[in-house]
Amino acid sequence: MSGDKVRLQKAMSDAGIASRRKSEQMIADGEVSVNGKIVREMGVKVDNHDKIEVNGVPLRSEKKRYILMYKPRGVISAVKDDKDRKVITDFLKEDVPERVYPIGRLDYDTSGLILLTNDGEFANQLMHPRYHVDKTYVAKIEGQLTTEEIKQLEGGIKFKDYTSAPAKVRVLSKDTKKNSSLVRLTIHEGHNHQVKNMFEHVKHPVEKLSRERYDFLTLDGLVSGKYRNLTRQEVALLKERK
Ligand code: URA
C-alpha cells in the first residue's frame, strides 16, 4: 500500500487477501479491523499508517511482481475459466506465489508476449487508452495484400464502435502456392480481436496470430509457456510512459 489513502477493500485485494467484492463481504461480516476497531461499513479509507487485521491477522502487502510470459496458443489469458480450459497462470511455478493476473488479453488462439502483475496501478496505467504502447503482431493471413489494402490498414479502419488508429504494416513474406502471407502489424490500441478484425475488414482473414513485441519488450530468450521477471529498469521504463 502506498502513502495515498485507498478504500479498505482495495487495500485488502492489493494485499492478495481476496477480490474486492469478496473483501467487501468480509468487511460486512465483521472480519476486518482498522486500528483495533472492527469496521463493517463501506467507504473507509486507509493508508500505510493504518493497522489492518483480517480475522486478527495483520495484513501485509504482497511483493509486487512483474512477469513477461510467452503465452502458448490454446490458453485463456485469465486466472480462471468457467469451461475449465487451460489458463495462463497454470504455467506459473512455485517461484510466483503471488496472485498475478494478465495485463490485457490475447485471444485463446493467439500466442506471444503478455505481461502479468499483481500491481493494480501498473496494470491500469498500461491498459489506459491514453497510454500509447506499441504492440507488434505477426499474422499469417489468407491471400496477398494489395497496396490499396495496406494503405487502408495503415490509415485506420472504420468499425461500428471505433476507427482504428494509424498502424504500421510490413509484408514479411508471401506464399502464392498456399495463398497466404506473413504480415507484421504494429498498433497501439487494444480493442477486442482488433488485429483479426482489421484483416477481416480487408478480406484477408487471419489464420494464425502471434504478438512479438510490447513496447521495447520482446520474446527473446523465451520459448512458448515460459516466463521471466521484468528487470527493475524495464518496470521503471514502462512506469515512465505516459
Ligand atoms: N488482436 C486480435 O485480434 N487478437 C489478439 O489476441 C490480439 C490482438
Side-chain angles (χ1 to χ4, degrees):
M1 205 190 321
S2 68
D4 297 335
K5 288 230 177 242
V6 297
R7 284 178 187 273
L8 182 53
Q9 59 269 38
K10 179 172 180 341
M12 289 169 65
S13 72
D14 286 352
I17 297 290
S19 67
R20 277 195 213 183
R21 194 170 318 149
K22 177 89 203 320
S23 298
E24 284 173 2
Q25 190 56 53
M26 293 167 83
I27 296 168
D29 290 346
E31 295 181 44
V32 187
S33 68
V34 177
N35 303 323
K37 273 202 199 122
I38 299 277
V39 169
R40 283 178 191 270
E41 70 276 20
M42 293 304 130
V44 170
K45 289 193 159 183
V46 291
D47 62 24
N48 52 10
H49 301 296
D50 292 309
K51 185 164 167 263
I52 303 159
E53 290 183 341
V54 178
N55 293 316
V57 180
L59 178 142
R60 261 204 271 134
S61 289
E62 260 191 347
K63 183 178 164 206
K64 295 275 187 273
R65 298 295 301 258
Y66 306 91
I67 289 164
L68 186 166
M69 184 186 278
Y70 187 155
K71 175 193 173 293
R73 227 174 285 289
V75 171
I76 300 280
S77 42
V79 296
K80 60 172 185 273
D81 179 48
D82 45 17
K83 294 189 199 128
D84 241 11
R85 289 169 295 184
K86 233 185 194 344
V87 295
I88 197 158
T89 44
D90 291 342
F91 291 83
L92 298 170
K93 305 267 184 314
E94 316 78 65
D95 62 329
V96 189
E98 295 84 4
R99 299 186 335 145
V100 296
Y101 52 88
I103 302 181
R105 261 186 299 182
L106 286 179
D107 293 337
Y108 181 71
D109 58 355
T110 300
S111 64
L113 198 163
I114 190 155
L115 299 180
L116 297 109
T117 190
N118 57 352
D119 182 342
E121 217 170 292
F122 181 74
N124 286 340
Q125 181 199 342
L126 289 185
M127 283 191 292
H128 197 281
R130 190 193 64 214
Y131 182 93
H132 284 187
V133 52
D134 274 348
K135 298 159 200 112
T136 299
Y137 298 85
V138 172
K140 183 179 174 208
I141 59 164
E142 195 182 295
Q144 266 94 53
L145 290 170
T146 63
T147 313
E148 187 45 46
E149 288 162 348
I150 293 176
K151 270 201 197 132
Q152 257 183 286
L153 289 167
E154 285 178 335
I157 289 170
K158 207 164 182 312
F159 294 108
K160 240 191 267 148
D161 45 351
Y162 70 98
T163 300
S164 61
K168 284 183 217 144
V169 180
R170 171 127 190 229
V171 177
L172 301 176
S173 64
K174 299 176 190 179
D175 189 332
T176 39
K177 264 200 217 131
K178 291 198 177 131
N179 190 34
S180 66
S181 320
L182 267 190
V183 182
R184 190 160 68 207
L185 179 93
T186 302
I187 53 174
H188 63 68
E189 298 164 306
H191 295 282
N192 245 353
H193 313 303
Q194 181 168 349
V195 176
K196 290 177 186 164
N197 290 339
M198 287 172 76
F199 283 111
E200 188 74 43
H201 187 87
V202 291
K203 309 273 184 312
H204 295 281
V206 168
E207 294 173 351
K208 227 176 181 188
L209 187 62
S210 168
R211 183 154 74 190
E212 311 267 301
R213 219 181 153 91
Y214 187 99
D215 203 323
F216 56 87
L217 299 168
T218 69
L219 291 167
D220 282 0
L222 291 178
V223 293
S224 179
K226 298 291 178 198
Y227 58 92
R228 70 167 175 90
N229 287 304
L230 293 183
T231 64
R232 272 171 203 274
Q233 289 91 327
E234 287 170 337
V235 173
L237 264 177
L238 289 170
K239 283 186 176 173
E240 262 171 31
R241 298 278 201 266
K242 288 269 151 57

